[in-house]
Structures are given as C-alpha cells and as structure tokens.
Amino acid sequence: MGLASQLEELGLPWVERQLRHPTVAGIARGDLDDAVFRSWLEQDYLFLLDYVRVFSRLAWQAPSAHLGDLVDLAHATFHEELSLHRGLSSEFGADLDGARKGAPCAAYTEFLLDSAAGYGEGLAALYPCMWGYSTLGARLAVDPPSEPRYRRWVDTYADPGFAELTRRIAQMIDEAAPDPGRAETLFLEGMRHELAFWDVPL
C-alpha cells in the first residue's frame, strides 16, 4: 500500500464526520439555508485563491515530471472550480469580491501555505482538500439533491475529471516519499481544517 492510500484510510472517519455535519447534510438534502451556503461560497472562494498559490509554490519545487501536473491543478482550480463559485454567487447573492476570511479559512490557508515550504510535506497537507472533496462528491452523487444549485455543486466534485486530478496528487505523494509520520500528521491536520471549514461565519 502506498503512502497516499494509507493517508486515505486515516481520512475516511473524517469524511464520515463531514457527511454528518449540518452544512454538508443540508447540501445532500438540497434544503441548506441560502445564507449558510452563501457564506461557505464566499469563504471557499477566498480559500481557493490561496490554494492556487499553494500549487504554484509546490510547482516551483516539483521535479520536471510533475511540473505540468501542478500547473494543470492550479489552472483547473482557478478557471474551473472558481468558475463554479462565480456562477453560483449570483444565485445565492454572494459578495465574492467583498468577502473577508473567517477564522477557519484564515487558519487553513495559513497552514497550507506554510506546509508548502516543503514539497512532499506540502502535498500531504493539501491532499485532504482534493481527496476529501472527490470522496464527498462521489458519496453525495449516489443520491444527489434535486435542488439544481446544490446538484451542480455535487456534480462538480463527483466529476471523473476531478477524481483524476486527485489520483495525480496521490501519485506525486507516493513518488515524493515524505517522512510517513510527518505526512500523516500534516494530512490529519488538514482533515481537521476541512471539518472546521464547514462551520461558516454568519
């Protein structure tokens, strides 16, 4: 079993906790209060801007074989994932340009940007977001919400293309071979941030 697979096993209980979180459960049912999702949308927009910076910082350190992978990930995040947020913003009345980071968002982005100072460790730290959302998307797509706005959100993260990007990160983690104990610590810290991120400021 590769290191990425070991990290995923550690992360599964945290995914289950996310699925039980009221915000995620509301998305799954399609009845989440608009104000809650609007706040999440604004916070995640700010998070993803820094996530692009994390990919860029790691790309600077990457071996040549994976430079393109990280550039692709930064591009997909900036142009595709953020496009979803921009599209949903008008439907939920979100103010993406005027939003300010809440405590969970600020703590998470600081953690990721600091972790990206090292290549292998940075990959382990960011994996909870990629793998976590891909896993959530797949789970929620089994019985997707009928509400079209939330269905679009689920479809984005259940998309096979997103799963493929996640597998590319897993491959990079295994090839980078960071210290397993340190990788597990950073991965679990990332999973804790993922769960806390659903407690959006209102």
Side-chain angles (χ1 to χ4, degrees):
M1 180 184 294
L3 178 57
S5 294
Q6 295 176 39
L7 297 178
E8 291 167 11
E9 284 199 353
L10 291 174
L12 284 174
W14 290 89
V15 171
E16 295 298 331
R17 292 178 69 180
Q18 289 185 63
L19 287 165
R20 294 192 297 268
H21 191 283
T23 302
V24 180
I27 292 172
R29 293 190 306 268
D31 63 2
L32 181 66
D33 185 275
D34 279 15
V36 176
F37 192 78
R38 178 168 59 248
S39 179
W40 177 87
L41 198 62
E42 292 170 350
Q43 293 300 301
D44 202 53
Y45 182 82
L46 296 173
F47 170 85
L48 289 173
L49 291 175
D50 276 343
Y51 207 49
V52 172
R53 294 182 175 97
V54 171
F55 283 134
S56 300
R57 189 173 192 188
L58 292 174
W60 184 79
Q61 305 171 66
S64 297
H66 290 302
L67 175 59
D69 291 305
L70 287 158
V71 171
D72 287 349
L73 285 159
H75 185 277
T77 301
F78 191 82
H79 290 285
E80 296 171 22
E81 201 169 352
L82 283 174
S83 178
L84 169 73
H85 289 54
R86 295 184 190 103
L88 288 170
S89 66
S90 61
E91 299 180 47
F92 283 92
D95 180 11
L96 300 182
D97 293 329
R100 296 292 179 268
K101 290 180 182 178
C105 181
Y108 196 3
T109 55
E110 181 179 359
F111 161 73
L112 287 174
L113 289 164
D114 286 348
S115 298
Y119 178 66
E121 292 186 351
L123 292 171
L126 69 79
Y127 197 48
C129 185
M130 291 290 300
W131 171 78
Y133 271 69
S134 181
T135 304
L136 283 175
R139 292 284 295 273
L140 295 176
V142 173
D143 183 20
S146 58
E147 209 283 350
R149 297 173 302 175
Y150 293 130
R151 175 64 181 264
R152 193 154 76 250
W153 186 92
V154 170
D155 287 347
T156 295
Y157 295 108
D159 186 272
F162 190 75
E164 174 57 28
L165 292 175
T166 301
R167 286 192 291 270
R168 287 160 75 176
I169 290 287
Q171 179 187 357
M172 284 186 272
I173 290 172
D174 288 343
E175 291 182 8
D179 175 76
R182 180 63 177 155
E184 289 181 6
T185 297
L186 291 167
F187 178 82
L188 289 173
E189 179 65 20
M191 292 304 305
R192 283 190 284 271
H193 281 295
E194 282 291 310
L195 181 62
F197 201 90
W198 294 110
D199 294 327
V200 297
L202 293 174

